[in-house]
Amino acid sequence: MAGDQYAQAVADIAQVFMFEQWLRHYFVVERDGKLFIEIPEDDLAEIHAGHDNLGGLADMLNNDEITYEKCQATVCAFVGARFDGSKYAPDVVARTLDSKAFKIEMYVFGVWLKGHESHLDAQKLPFSEWTEMYAGWKSMEQVKEYRRKLEAGGTDPDRSPSACVH
């Protein structure tokens, strides 16, 4: 696969994973000791209007009990249905999910999420604002240097982020 196409696959798939995190960040409720995603109709309409490519994932998770396993299976099914064999060749999605580039992208996103949690908790922000904030943060020289270290093998992107880069 060409480098640009590979980078685009990482970006497309990472966006789905980030969107699922956004849904869980703002729309999880607890009932009877179980967690559910409950998206109000107005918010669901806004999601479809602003992110129609991701609205189907919101529909799949809405009003359903969630667990780590269920979210993982749902996100992977959504990614497979949207990208595997349609936008990308049949082997690209699986290779992307297993790639170092994808693991680093998700690790860096986890660092951003942890480091900005108090700001993200202050009010419900639209997903587009999350992606803009994340892109801006990733463009900082400090973050670029950290990412270069990860790409060179300086840190294990499979481990949870323990330090924040600001």
Side-chain angles (χ1 to χ4, degrees):
M1 167 173 43
D4 287 346
Q5 185 181 16
Y6 181 71
Q8 188 59 52
V10 169
D12 286 343
I13 295 169
Q15 182 189 41
V16 174
F17 277 73
M18 291 178 208
F19 181 73
E20 185 263 346
Q21 284 285 326
W22 177 78
L23 290 173
R24 286 194 289 140
H25 195 88
Y26 292 119
F27 300 107
V28 167
V29 296
E30 185 177 346
R31 289 192 317 233
D32 302 323
K34 296 178 182 178
L35 299 176
F36 294 82
I37 289 185
E38 291 183 0
I39 307 168
E41 287 300 318
D42 290 348
D43 289 313
L44 195 57
E46 284 181 31
I47 289 168
H48 279 281
H51 306 284
D52 193 45
N53 61 320
L54 298 168
L57 181 59
D59 293 336
M60 292 169 74
L61 293 168
N62 195 23
N63 296 317
D64 215 352
E65 180 183 357
I66 61 164
T67 63
Y68 172 79
E69 294 80 11
K70 181 172 182 169
C71 285
Q72 184 179 35
T74 302
V75 168
C76 288
F78 183 83
V79 164
R82 295 295 184 272
F83 302 124
D84 196 24
S86 55
K87 184 170 183 177
Y88 300 106
D91 65 331
V92 171
V93 169
R95 285 186 14 219
T96 300
L97 289 169
D98 288 336
S99 72
K100 182 177 181 179
F102 181 74
K103 289 176 183 175
I104 289 172
E105 182 64 27
M106 296 315 303
Y107 178 80
V108 170
F109 177 71
V111 170
W112 174 81
L113 193 60
K114 186 172 183 157
H116 292 81
E117 194 169 13
S118 62
H119 177 73
L120 301 173
D121 286 347
Q123 65 177 331
K124 185 177 74 175
L125 300 171
F127 182 63
S128 58
E129 196 165 326
W130 269 41
T131 58
E132 288 173 24
M133 288 172 52
Y134 179 58
W137 179 80
K138 278 191 344 180
S139 72
M140 294 171 55
E141 193 53 44
Q142 221 177 340
V143 177
K144 288 179 183 179
E145 180 61 30
Y146 181 64
R147 191 176 188 108
R148 283 190 288 273
K149 287 179 184 177
L150 291 173
E151 290 165 355
T155 305
D156 181 5
D158 286 330
R159 291 188 359 207
S160 355
S162 58
C164 299
V165 177
H166 294 280

